[in-house]
Amino acid sequence: MDIYKINSIGNLLEGNTYPGRGIIVGKSADGENAIAAYFIMGRSANSRNRVFVERDGAVFTEAFDPSKLEDPSLIIYAALRDYENKLIVTNGDQTDTVYEGLQAGKTFHSSLTVREFEPDGPNFTPRISAMLEFAEDDFTYSMSILKSADAEGTACNRYGFDYPSLAGLGHFIHTYVCDGNPIPTFQGEPERVALGNNIDEVAEEIWNALNEDNKISLYVRFVNLKTKEVQNRMINKNK
């Protein structure tokens, strides 16, 4: 087993009907840009009734058709927010938990100690989170997954990962291994993936590899490490 193998994002996603929600963070191959990407998928009508919207540099999930929204508690949230020199990306309202924790002087990981997996048994969907921290024309990043310790959801296991940024390398974490009933949660460390230099190519690789029936939305952000110029790409299946 090659622990340093760098995978193609497309190869990891193609043929997997339901990896759930996913976060990818890393550095472009030329070393010039920090990259953060987040996608959502859904099997139920309530989950599929969503789009990404951007307001004041933050990204939110919203109901595509508000009249059909059933339960907003686990599907409507801020997915991406800036705080000072940090960029937070998560798959739920723990985005705000991290943001408020940073305001209170906490770290990324300590902010998440008050949260656990989602209360949606029998799946007990993991909460996945990431944060990029910029300094001196470079950045480091952290990732987290909070998942049920057993099939009954009686306790929460907490896993945290901290990375230097290396050119061409990203880390990919998603909520589920694949489809199922109940859906098996992600296992192990975030997967190592290759990242290119062109935001459209990165976005297309992810979007095209996601299952056509279950994919909903994708957001990709490039931040130039020297100029701080930001590029964004947002794709919504619902238009």
Side-chain angles (χ1 to χ4, degrees):
M1 180 180 179
D2 183 2
I3 62 173
Y4 297 112
K5 179 182 178 181
I6 301 178
N7 303 282
S8 157
I9 298 171
N11 287 345
L12 290 177
L13 288 173
E14 286 170 357
N16 187 346
T17 57
Y18 205 61
R21 287 165 273 173
I23 298 171
I24 300 166
V25 177
K27 183 184 281 186
S28 60
D30 58 15
E32 294 184 0
N33 290 281
I35 300 174
Y38 177 55
F39 66 78
I40 60 174
M41 305 181 78
R43 302 190 304 175
S44 69
N46 194 44
S47 290
R48 290 179 175 181
N49 180 34
R50 288 185 290 173
V51 291
F52 283 165
V53 297
E54 188 173 5
R55 295 193 297 270
D56 299 324
V59 177
F60 301 84
T61 61
E62 281 191 356
F64 174 62
D65 183 346
S67 69
K68 295 181 180 179
L69 180 63
E70 298 169 10
D71 179 6
S73 61
L74 296 177
I75 67 169
I76 304 299
Y77 52 87
L80 181 149
R81 294 182 69 180
D82 287 296
Y83 178 76
E84 295 181 342
N85 64 326
K86 302 171 181 68
L87 178 62
I88 308 159
V89 188
T90 90
N91 75 325
D93 62 10
Q94 73 269 25
T95 302
D96 296 332
T97 304
V98 175
Y99 186 93
E100 292 162 5
L102 295 174
Q103 286 181 314
K106 296 181 180 180
T107 66
F108 169 76
H109 293 298
S110 65
S111 297
L112 289 166
T113 58
V114 298
R115 303 304 304 270
E116 58 179 31
F117 51 88
E118 296 181 355
D120 62 342
N123 296 317
F124 299 116
T125 300
R127 291 192 185 273
I128 55 173
S129 309
M131 186 181 78
L132 295 72
E133 184 168 1
F134 298 90
E136 298 178 354
D137 298 338
D138 207 350
F139 74 105
T140 57
Y141 57 101
S142 301
M143 305 184 92
S144 164
I145 182 167
L146 311 178
K147 51 193 286 189
S148 180
D150 55 30
E152 292 73 37
T154 59
C156 181
N157 289 342
R158 304 172 183 278
Y159 303 89
F161 309 90
D162 298 297
Y163 300 104
S165 59
L166 301 177
L169 176 65
H171 286 87
F172 176 28
I173 192 167
H174 39 103
T175 51
Y176 306 125
V177 175
C178 57
D179 209 341
N181 189 22
I183 318 174
T185 62
F186 182 89
Q187 301 172 32
E189 296 181 20
E191 297 160 327
R192 292 160 58 89
V193 293
L195 294 173
N197 300 321
N198 183 287
I199 188 171
D200 291 309
E201 292 177 358
V202 171
E204 287 172 9
E205 180 182 14
I206 299 169
W207 185 251
N208 291 339
L210 291 170
N211 178 265
E212 183 65 31
D213 292 332
N214 294 324
K215 65 184 179 182
I216 300 171
S217 297
L218 167 68
Y219 187 88
V220 182
R221 176 171 292 185
F222 272 41
V223 181
N224 187 281
L225 296 171
K226 289 186 177 180
T227 68
K228 310 307 178 188
E229 177 189 359
V230 174
Q231 300 180 72
N232 299 315
R233 296 293 184 272
M234 184 165 62
I235 305 173
N236 285 311
K237 187 175 182 180
N238 293 317
K239 298 179 181 178

